[in-house]
Structures are given as C-alpha cells and as structure tokens.
Amino acid sequence: MRHTLPIAPQFYVTAPQPCPYLDGRMERKLFTALQGEHAQKLNDTLSKQGFRRSQNVLYRPSCAECSACLSARIRVADFEPRRTQRRVLKRAEDLRRNATSPWATEDQFSLFRRYLDTRHADGGMADMDIFEFAAMIEETPIKSRVIEYTRPAGPGERGRPLAAVCLTDVFDDGLSMVYSFYDPALTDLSLGTYVILDHIAIAREAGLPYVYLGYWVPGSRKMGYKAGFNALEIYKAGRWQDIGDPADHKAELHPLSVDPIAEQVARISLPDTRVPREG
C-alpha cells in the first residue's frame, strides 16, 4: 500500500521581550525551523496562516495577552492606486528595477546602514554588521529574489546608485516582502510606498494573486501605512478577511485574547509531502 505522510515540524515559543510596535507590551513568537526538501511547501502553507519568514525560521506572534499583530496582504486583481499613490509612481518613473538572486553586496549593506541609522537607530537591527546582513539576505531555503531599484546619477556620481532594495520571497500564490530598505535622503520619492506599488505590478505581471506585506498593527505608527492600500486583507480569527475600517480593529490587552500554545499548534494546517511509502 502507498501512504502519504504530512510534514511534522516542531514548534517552539520564544521568551517574552519588549514589543517593537506597542509601548509597554511584551512580545512572544511561535516558530519552527524551515529546512529540508519540503521547505518551499511548508513556507507556502504556513504563510497562508499568518506566518512570516526570517532566514531559516517561520514565525508568527503568539503574545500572552495581546493579539494586535495581524498578517496583511493585498489582493492584486482588486487593487487600484489612490491619487497620492499615482503621484508616487509618477515621481519615481526614473527608477529602474533589477531582480537578482539573493546575494548580498557592499552597496546594499551601505544603503542598509544609512537607512537604519536614519530611520531605526534604536531598533532591534541597529547593530547588524555586514556578516549578519549577508545572512539575512542569503540564508533562504526557498525561492527568493533581491529586487534592487536604481536612480539616475547625481553630481559627482557614476553609474546608477541604489535607491531601494527589497528581499522578496516567491510563494505559490504571491510575493512576500520580507524586508525592504531605501535611501533616507530621497524622501520626496516616497520609496517605501513605491516599492509596494511595484511589487503589486510584478505580481500582476506574473499572474500571482497576492502581495504579502508582513504584519499590520492597529495603534502602531510604524505599521499604519499599510492600511493606506486598498484591497487589503488581514488574517484574523483563523481566516483572511477584508480589513474594512481600520479603526474597527483594536489593540487591547486581554488575558483571554490568545489561545494556549497547544491549541494554536493543533489548528495549524500542514502540507502533504506526497512521499509514498511502500507497505
């Protein structure tokens, strides 16, 4: 007889630490290793259930009393840019896109350092060196791309300098923007918004239905910009749903807002390896 066996990854929980999005709260993550020949299938399946990738780990928030973090994605077919977003596209029309394999460069790291030092000097990644940066870019067991955006050279410059970079994963149903950074001096180009808009264009060209944006957190100024994109869905109460009015989603603390870890893990759907066993 032939039997089909499911992937059976082990899940773990991190120790509580200060939340980077909401002051005075503690965060905790549920995570599992992403490795082996079925890594892509596991990543695709868990990403549809609110998980995100960081190098060789898949994780999603599992805080003891808070369920504010909500995975967000854009429905590509339904997306229409707002007037302000059309202006962003117009202002950035001189940028050029270049998609490469996930390989870190000194130019990327230089831009990354300028971005962190200006925008996130006190964040959790502020002390990353070039080796840690290379690991973030290159340690991926799944289909990933580095999308670079270059601009025309200014006075005293040569070639086309980097303006923005995004590490992007390719799912079976969309693109996931793992991490993006950009030149903090080019504030007039609204590069954070532009990179999202361009990923919507890439997904549309490839026939992929979604662009995954990571987590949206009601009450967090850092994450508020994501609600500015229409056709936005959030993963809440175990299913994807239209965000509706962002003001309807609260970030309240409650001791019963998060189910026990064992119950969370029991409800996770795992992919099928489709590996036959003779018997």
Side-chain angles (χ1 to χ4, degrees), residues 124-178:
M125 304 173 74
D127 296 328
M128 283 182 66
D129 59 27
I130 192 168
F131 301 105
E132 293 167 320
F133 173 77
M136 180 181 74
I137 298 293
E138 298 174 9
E139 289 185 9
T140 169
I142 66 167
K143 186 177 181 180
S144 302
R145 295 290 183 269
V146 171
I147 313 294
E148 297 181 338
Y149 299 89
T150 60
R151 59 174 175 82
E157 295 179 323
R158 301 176 62 182
R160 291 186 60 89
L162 276 179
V165 176
C166 186
L167 174 61
T168 303
D169 287 348
V170 183
F171 295 167
D172 59 359
D173 71 341
L175 302 177
S176 175
M177 299 177 65
V178 177

Short mmCIF file of all heavy atoms in Angstrom, two decimals, residues 124-178:
data_model
loop_
_atom_site.label_atom_id
_atom_site.label_comp_id
_atom_site.label_asym_id
_atom_site.label_seq_id
_atom_site.Cartn_x
_atom_site.Cartn_y
_atom_site.Cartn_z
N GLY A 124 15.81 46.88 16.72
CA GLY A 124 16.47 45.62 17.01
C GLY A 124 17.54 45.22 16.02
O GLY A 124 18.37 44.35 16.30
N MET A 125 17.56 45.86 14.82
CA MET A 125 18.55 45.52 13.81
C MET A 125 19.69 46.54 13.76
O MET A 125 20.58 46.44 12.91
CB MET A 125 17.88 45.45 12.44
CG MET A 125 16.71 44.48 12.38
SD MET A 125 15.81 44.54 10.81
CE MET A 125 16.96 43.70 9.71
N ALA A 126 19.69 47.52 14.67
CA ALA A 126 20.62 48.64 14.59
C ALA A 126 22.09 48.22 14.63
O ALA A 126 22.95 48.91 14.07
CB ALA A 126 20.32 49.64 15.70
N ASP A 127 22.38 47.11 15.29
CA ASP A 127 23.78 46.69 15.46
C ASP A 127 24.22 45.63 14.44
O ASP A 127 25.30 45.07 14.57
CB ASP A 127 24.00 46.14 16.87
CG ASP A 127 23.79 47.21 17.94
OD1 ASP A 127 24.07 48.39 17.66
OD2 ASP A 127 23.34 46.86 19.05
N MET A 128 23.41 45.36 13.43
CA MET A 128 23.77 44.33 12.46
C MET A 128 25.03 44.72 11.69
O MET A 128 25.15 45.84 11.20
CB MET A 128 22.62 44.11 11.47
CG MET A 128 21.48 43.29 12.03
SD MET A 128 20.16 42.98 10.82
CE MET A 128 21.01 41.95 9.64
N ASP A 129 25.97 43.76 11.58
CA ASP A 129 27.17 44.01 10.78
C ASP A 129 26.98 43.38 9.40
O ASP A 129 25.93 42.81 9.09
CB ASP A 129 28.42 43.46 11.47
CG ASP A 129 28.35 41.96 11.75
OD1 ASP A 129 27.62 41.23 11.02
OD2 ASP A 129 29.03 41.50 12.69
N ILE A 130 28.01 43.45 8.57
CA ILE A 130 27.87 43.00 7.19
C ILE A 130 27.66 41.50 7.10
O ILE A 130 26.99 41.01 6.18
CB ILE A 130 29.10 43.44 6.35
CG1 ILE A 130 28.81 43.22 4.86
CG2 ILE A 130 30.36 42.71 6.81
CD1 ILE A 130 29.82 43.86 3.94
N PHE A 131 28.20 40.74 8.06
CA PHE A 131 28.02 39.29 8.03
C PHE A 131 26.58 38.91 8.39
O PHE A 131 25.99 38.01 7.78
CB PHE A 131 29.01 38.63 8.99
CG PHE A 131 30.45 38.94 8.67
CD1 PHE A 131 31.17 39.83 9.45
CD2 PHE A 131 31.06 38.35 7.57
CE1 PHE A 131 32.49 40.14 9.15
CE2 PHE A 131 32.39 38.66 7.26
CZ PHE A 131 33.10 39.55 8.06
N GLU A 132 26.02 39.60 9.37
CA GLU A 132 24.61 39.36 9.73
C GLU A 132 23.69 39.80 8.60
O GLU A 132 22.66 39.16 8.34
CB GLU A 132 24.28 40.09 11.02
CG GLU A 132 25.01 39.53 12.24
CD GLU A 132 24.92 40.44 13.44
OE1 GLU A 132 25.01 41.68 13.29
OE2 GLU A 132 24.75 39.91 14.56
N PHE A 133 24.05 40.89 7.95
CA PHE A 133 23.26 41.35 6.81
C PHE A 133 23.29 40.31 5.70
O PHE A 133 22.25 39.98 5.11
CB PHE A 133 23.80 42.69 6.31
CG PHE A 133 23.16 43.16 5.03
CD1 PHE A 133 21.90 43.74 5.05
CD2 PHE A 133 23.83 43.03 3.81
CE1 PHE A 133 21.30 44.17 3.86
CE2 PHE A 133 23.24 43.46 2.63
CZ PHE A 133 21.97 44.03 2.66
N ALA A 134 24.48 39.78 5.41
CA ALA A 134 24.59 38.77 4.36
C ALA A 134 23.76 37.54 4.71
O ALA A 134 23.12 36.94 3.84
CB ALA A 134 26.06 38.39 4.17
N ALA A 135 23.74 37.16 5.98
CA ALA A 135 22.93 36.01 6.39
C ALA A 135 21.45 36.28 6.18
O ALA A 135 20.70 35.42 5.72
CB ALA A 135 23.20 35.68 7.86
N MET A 136 20.99 37.51 6.49
CA MET A 136 19.59 37.86 6.29
C MET A 136 19.20 37.74 4.83
O MET A 136 18.10 37.26 4.51
CB MET A 136 19.35 39.30 6.77
CG MET A 136 17.91 39.77 6.61
SD MET A 136 17.63 41.48 7.14
CE MET A 136 18.39 42.40 5.79
N ILE A 137 20.08 38.14 3.94
CA ILE A 137 19.78 38.11 2.51
C ILE A 137 19.93 36.71 1.93
O ILE A 137 19.08 36.24 1.16
CB ILE A 137 20.70 39.08 1.74
CG1 ILE A 137 20.46 40.54 2.20
CG2 ILE A 137 20.49 38.95 0.24
CD1 ILE A 137 19.12 41.10 1.85
N GLU A 138 20.99 36.02 2.29
CA GLU A 138 21.39 34.82 1.57
C GLU A 138 20.88 33.51 2.17
O GLU A 138 20.75 32.52 1.46
CB GLU A 138 22.92 34.77 1.48
CG GLU A 138 23.49 35.95 0.69
CD GLU A 138 25.01 35.98 0.71
OE1 GLU A 138 25.62 35.00 1.21
OE2 GLU A 138 25.59 36.97 0.25
N GLU A 139 20.60 33.49 3.47
CA GLU A 139 20.17 32.24 4.10
C GLU A 139 18.68 32.04 3.89
O GLU A 139 17.84 32.36 4.73
CB GLU A 139 20.53 32.25 5.59
CG GLU A 139 22.02 32.14 5.85
CD GLU A 139 22.37 32.03 7.32
OE1 GLU A 139 21.43 31.87 8.14
OE2 GLU A 139 23.55 32.12 7.65
N THR A 140 18.34 31.50 2.75
CA THR A 140 16.95 31.22 2.41
C THR A 140 16.85 29.86 1.74
O THR A 140 17.54 29.60 0.75
CB THR A 140 16.37 32.31 1.49
OG1 THR A 140 15.10 31.89 0.99
CG2 THR A 140 17.30 32.63 0.31
N PRO A 141 16.04 28.97 2.27
CA PRO A 141 15.88 27.64 1.67
C PRO A 141 14.77 27.59 0.64
O PRO A 141 14.43 26.52 0.15
CB PRO A 141 15.54 26.77 2.89
CG PRO A 141 14.75 27.68 3.76
CD PRO A 141 15.33 29.07 3.56
N ILE A 142 14.19 28.75 0.32
CA ILE A 142 13.08 28.79 -0.62
C ILE A 142 13.40 29.72 -1.78
O ILE A 142 14.48 30.30 -1.85
CB ILE A 142 11.77 29.23 0.08
CG1 ILE A 142 11.89 30.68 0.53
CG2 ILE A 142 11.45 28.33 1.25
CD1 ILE A 142 10.58 31.28 0.94
N LYS A 143 12.46 29.87 -2.70
CA LYS A 143 12.66 30.74 -3.85
C LYS A 143 12.56 32.20 -3.42
O LYS A 143 11.48 32.67 -3.05
CB LYS A 143 11.62 30.44 -4.93
CG LYS A 143 11.83 31.21 -6.24
CD LYS A 143 10.81 30.81 -7.28
CE LYS A 143 11.05 31.55 -8.59
NZ LYS A 143 10.05 31.16 -9.63
N SER A 144 13.68 32.90 -3.46
CA SER A 144 13.74 34.30 -3.04
C SER A 144 14.46 35.12 -4.10
O SER A 144 15.27 34.60 -4.87
CB SER A 144 14.48 34.45 -1.70
OG SER A 144 13.85 33.68 -0.68
N ARG A 145 14.17 36.41 -4.11
CA ARG A 145 14.83 37.34 -5.01
C ARG A 145 15.18 38.62 -4.26
O ARG A 145 14.50 38.99 -3.30
CB ARG A 145 13.92 37.70 -6.20
CG ARG A 145 13.59 36.54 -7.12
CD ARG A 145 14.80 36.11 -7.92
NE ARG A 145 14.49 35.04 -8.86
CZ ARG A 145 14.58 33.75 -8.59
NH1 ARG A 145 14.95 33.37 -7.36
NH2 ARG A 145 14.29 32.84 -9.50
N VAL A 146 16.23 39.27 -4.70
CA VAL A 146 16.53 40.62 -4.24
C VAL A 146 16.12 41.57 -5.36
O VAL A 146 16.63 41.47 -6.48
CB VAL A 146 18.02 40.80 -3.90
CG1 VAL A 146 18.33 42.27 -3.63
CG2 VAL A 146 18.39 39.95 -2.68
N ILE A 147 15.18 42.45 -5.07
CA ILE A 147 14.72 43.43 -6.05
C ILE A 147 15.41 44.75 -5.75
O ILE A 147 15.19 45.36 -4.69
CB ILE A 147 13.19 43.61 -6.00
CG1 ILE A 147 12.49 42.26 -5.96
CG2 ILE A 147 12.73 44.45 -7.19
CD1 ILE A 147 12.64 41.43 -7.20
N GLU A 148 16.29 45.19 -6.66
CA GLU A 148 17.00 46.45 -6.49
C GLU A 148 16.36 47.53 -7.36
O GLU A 148 15.89 47.26 -8.48
CB GLU A 148 18.47 46.29 -6.89
CG GLU A 148 19.25 45.31 -6.03
CD GLU A 148 20.70 45.21 -6.44
OE1 GLU A 148 21.01 45.54 -7.62
OE2 GLU A 148 21.53 44.80 -5.63
N TYR A 149 16.35 48.75 -6.84
CA TYR A 149 15.87 49.90 -7.59
C TYR A 149 16.99 50.94 -7.66
O TYR A 149 17.53 51.34 -6.62
CB TYR A 149 14.63 50.49 -6.92
CG TYR A 149 13.49 49.52 -6.84
CD1 TYR A 149 13.34 48.67 -5.74
CD2 TYR A 149 12.55 49.43 -7.86
CE1 TYR A 149 12.31 47.75 -5.67
CE2 TYR A 149 11.51 48.52 -7.80
CZ TYR A 149 11.39 47.68 -6.70
OH TYR A 149 10.36 46.77 -6.64
N THR A 150 17.35 51.33 -8.86
CA THR A 150 18.43 52.29 -9.03
C THR A 150 17.88 53.61 -9.58
O THR A 150 16.81 53.65 -10.20
CB THR A 150 19.51 51.76 -9.98
OG1 THR A 150 18.93 51.50 -11.28
CG2 THR A 150 20.11 50.46 -9.44
N ARG A 151 18.62 54.68 -9.36
CA ARG A 151 18.23 56.01 -9.80
C ARG A 151 19.30 56.61 -10.70
O ARG A 151 20.45 56.14 -10.72
CB ARG A 151 18.02 56.91 -8.58
CG ARG A 151 19.28 57.06 -7.72
CD ARG A 151 19.11 58.06 -6.61
NE ARG A 151 20.26 58.11 -5.72
CZ ARG A 151 21.37 58.79 -5.96
NH1 ARG A 151 21.48 59.48 -7.11
NH2 ARG A 151 22.37 58.78 -5.10
N PRO A 152 18.98 57.67 -11.43
CA PRO A 152 20.00 58.35 -12.23
C PRO A 152 21.08 58.93 -11.33
O PRO A 152 20.82 59.34 -10.19
CB PRO A 152 19.21 59.45 -12.95
CG PRO A 152 17.80 58.98 -12.95
CD PRO A 152 17.63 58.21 -11.67
N ALA A 153 22.30 58.98 -11.83
CA ALA A 153 23.42 59.53 -11.06
C ALA A 153 23.27 61.03 -10.87
O ALA A 153 22.81 61.75 -11.76
CB ALA A 153 24.73 59.21 -11.75
N GLY A 154 23.64 61.50 -9.68
CA GLY A 154 23.66 62.93 -9.40
C GLY A 154 25.05 63.49 -9.63
O GLY A 154 25.95 62.80 -10.11
N PRO A 155 25.26 64.76 -9.32
CA PRO A 155 26.58 65.40 -9.50
C PRO A 155 27.67 64.63 -8.76
O PRO A 155 27.54 64.32 -7.58
CB PRO A 155 26.37 66.80 -8.90
CG PRO A 155 24.90 67.05 -9.01
CD PRO A 155 24.26 65.72 -8.81
N GLY A 156 28.73 64.29 -9.47
CA GLY A 156 29.86 63.59 -8.87
C GLY A 156 29.66 62.09 -8.72
O GLY A 156 30.57 61.40 -8.23
N GLU A 157 28.52 61.57 -9.13
CA GLU A 157 28.26 60.14 -9.03
C GLU A 157 28.45 59.46 -10.38
O GLU A 157 28.39 60.11 -11.43
CB GLU A 157 26.83 59.89 -8.53
CG GLU A 157 26.57 60.37 -7.12
CD GLU A 157 25.15 60.12 -6.67
OE1 GLU A 157 24.23 60.25 -7.51
OE2 GLU A 157 24.95 59.80 -5.49
N ARG A 158 28.66 58.15 -10.33
CA ARG A 158 28.82 57.37 -11.55
C ARG A 158 27.81 56.23 -11.56
O ARG A 158 27.41 55.73 -10.52
CB ARG A 158 30.24 56.82 -11.65
CG ARG A 158 31.33 57.89 -11.64
CD ARG A 158 32.71 57.27 -11.63
NE ARG A 158 32.95 56.47 -12.83
CZ ARG A 158 34.06 55.78 -13.05
NH1 ARG A 158 35.03 55.77 -12.14
NH2 ARG A 158 34.21 55.08 -14.17
N GLY A 159 27.46 55.79 -12.76
CA GLY A 159 26.53 54.68 -12.89
C GLY A 159 25.14 55.05 -12.39
O GLY A 159 24.72 56.20 -12.45
N ARG A 160 24.45 54.06 -11.86
CA ARG A 160 23.12 54.27 -11.30
C ARG A 160 23.13 53.80 -9.84
O ARG A 160 23.09 52.58 -9.57
CB ARG A 160 22.05 53.50 -12.10
CG ARG A 160 21.82 54.06 -13.50
CD ARG A 160 20.66 53.34 -14.18
NE ARG A 160 19.41 53.49 -13.44
CZ ARG A 160 18.55 54.51 -13.62
NH1 ARG A 160 18.82 55.47 -14.50
NH2 ARG A 160 17.44 54.57 -12.91
N PRO A 161 23.18 54.72 -8.89
CA PRO A 161 23.24 54.34 -7.48
C PRO A 161 21.95 53.65 -7.03
O PRO A 161 20.86 53.88 -7.57
CB PRO A 161 23.41 55.69 -6.76
CG PRO A 161 23.92 56.64 -7.79
CD PRO A 161 23.32 56.18 -9.08
N LEU A 162 22.09 52.82 -5.98
CA LEU A 162 20.93 52.15 -5.39
C LEU A 162 20.03 53.17 -4.69
O LEU A 162 20.50 54.02 -3.95
CB LEU A 162 21.38 51.11 -4.36
CG LEU A 162 21.78 49.72 -4.85
CD1 LEU A 162 22.21 48.87 -3.66
CD2 LEU A 162 20.64 49.05 -5.58
N ALA A 163 18.74 53.05 -4.93
CA ALA A 163 17.76 53.87 -4.24
C ALA A 163 16.97 53.07 -3.22
O ALA A 163 16.61 53.57 -2.15
CB ALA A 163 16.80 54.51 -5.23
N ALA A 164 16.70 51.80 -3.53
CA ALA A 164 15.92 50.95 -2.63
C ALA A 164 16.22 49.49 -2.94
O ALA A 164 16.65 49.15 -4.05
CB ALA A 164 14.42 51.23 -2.78
N VAL A 165 15.98 48.64 -1.93
CA VAL A 165 16.21 47.20 -2.06
C VAL A 165 15.10 46.48 -1.30
O VAL A 165 14.70 46.92 -0.22
CB VAL A 165 17.58 46.78 -1.50
CG1 VAL A 165 17.76 45.27 -1.56
CG2 VAL A 165 18.72 47.48 -2.23
N CYS A 166 14.63 45.37 -1.85
CA CYS A 166 13.65 44.55 -1.14
C CYS A 166 14.02 43.08 -1.29
O CYS A 166 14.25 42.61 -2.40
CB CYS A 166 12.24 44.78 -1.67
SG CYS A 166 10.95 43.92 -0.71
N LEU A 167 14.10 42.37 -0.17
CA LEU A 167 14.24 40.92 -0.18
C LEU A 167 12.84 40.35 -0.30
O LEU A 167 11.97 40.60 0.55
CB LEU A 167 14.91 40.43 1.10
CG LEU A 167 15.00 38.92 1.29
CD1 LEU A 167 15.81 38.27 0.19
CD2 LEU A 167 15.58 38.59 2.67
N THR A 168 12.60 39.58 -1.35
CA THR A 168 11.26 39.14 -1.69
C THR A 168 11.21 37.63 -1.84
O THR A 168 12.03 37.04 -2.55
CB THR A 168 10.81 39.79 -3.02
OG1 THR A 168 10.88 41.21 -2.90
CG2 THR A 168 9.40 39.37 -3.39
N ASP A 169 10.25 37.00 -1.19
CA ASP A 169 10.01 35.57 -1.35
C ASP A 169 8.90 35.35 -2.38
O ASP A 169 7.96 36.14 -2.46
CB ASP A 169 9.59 34.93 -0.02
CG ASP A 169 10.75 34.79 0.95
OD1 ASP A 169 11.91 34.98 0.53
OD2 ASP A 169 10.48 34.50 2.14
N VAL A 170 9.02 34.26 -3.12
CA VAL A 170 8.02 33.91 -4.13
C VAL A 170 7.22 32.72 -3.62
O VAL A 170 7.76 31.64 -3.41
CB VAL A 170 8.68 33.58 -5.48
CG1 VAL A 170 7.61 33.29 -6.53
CG2 VAL A 170 9.58 34.73 -5.94
N PHE A 171 5.93 32.94 -3.38
CA PHE A 171 5.03 31.88 -2.93
C PHE A 171 4.30 31.29 -4.13
O PHE A 171 4.37 31.82 -5.25
CB PHE A 171 3.97 32.43 -1.97
CG PHE A 171 4.50 32.96 -0.67
CD1 PHE A 171 3.68 33.72 0.15
CD2 PHE A 171 5.79 32.71 -0.25
CE1 PHE A 171 4.13 34.22 1.36
CE2 PHE A 171 6.26 33.20 0.95
CZ PHE A 171 5.43 33.96 1.76
N ASP A 172 3.53 30.24 -3.88
CA ASP A 172 2.69 29.70 -4.94
C ASP A 172 1.50 30.60 -5.25
O ASP A 172 0.87 30.46 -6.30
CB ASP A 172 2.23 28.27 -4.61
CG ASP A 172 1.43 28.19 -3.31
OD1 ASP A 172 1.25 29.23 -2.63
OD2 ASP A 172 0.99 27.08 -2.96
N ASP A 173 1.20 31.53 -4.34
CA ASP A 173 0.07 32.43 -4.57
C ASP A 173 0.42 33.91 -4.44
O ASP A 173 -0.46 34.75 -4.33
CB ASP A 173 -1.09 32.10 -3.61
CG ASP A 173 -0.80 32.51 -2.18
OD1 ASP A 173 0.40 32.71 -1.83
OD2 ASP A 173 -1.76 32.64 -1.39
N GLY A 174 1.70 34.24 -4.45
CA GLY A 174 2.02 35.65 -4.35
C GLY A 174 3.48 35.94 -4.05
O GLY A 174 4.33 35.06 -4.05
N LEU A 175 3.73 37.22 -3.78
CA LEU A 175 5.04 37.71 -3.39
C LEU A 175 4.99 38.15 -1.94
O LEU A 175 4.01 38.78 -1.51
CB LEU A 175 5.47 38.90 -4.26
CG LEU A 175 5.53 38.66 -5.77
CD1 LEU A 175 5.90 39.96 -6.48
CD2 LEU A 175 6.55 37.57 -6.11
N SER A 176 6.04 37.85 -1.19
CA SER A 176 6.12 38.27 0.20
C SER A 176 7.30 39.23 0.36
O SER A 176 8.45 38.87 0.06
CB SER A 176 6.31 37.07 1.12
OG SER A 176 6.52 37.49 2.47
N MET A 177 7.01 40.44 0.81
CA MET A 177 8.06 41.43 1.02
C MET A 177 8.67 41.18 2.39
O MET A 177 8.17 41.64 3.41
CB MET A 177 7.47 42.83 0.89
CG MET A 177 6.88 43.08 -0.49
SD MET A 177 6.09 44.70 -0.66
CE MET A 177 7.52 45.79 -0.47
N VAL A 178 9.78 40.44 2.41
CA VAL A 178 10.40 40.03 3.67
C VAL A 178 11.00 41.23 4.39
O VAL A 178 10.78 41.45 5.58
CB VAL A 178 11.48 38.96 3.42
CG1 VAL A 178 12.18 38.58 4.72
CG2 VAL A 178 10.85 37.73 2.78
#
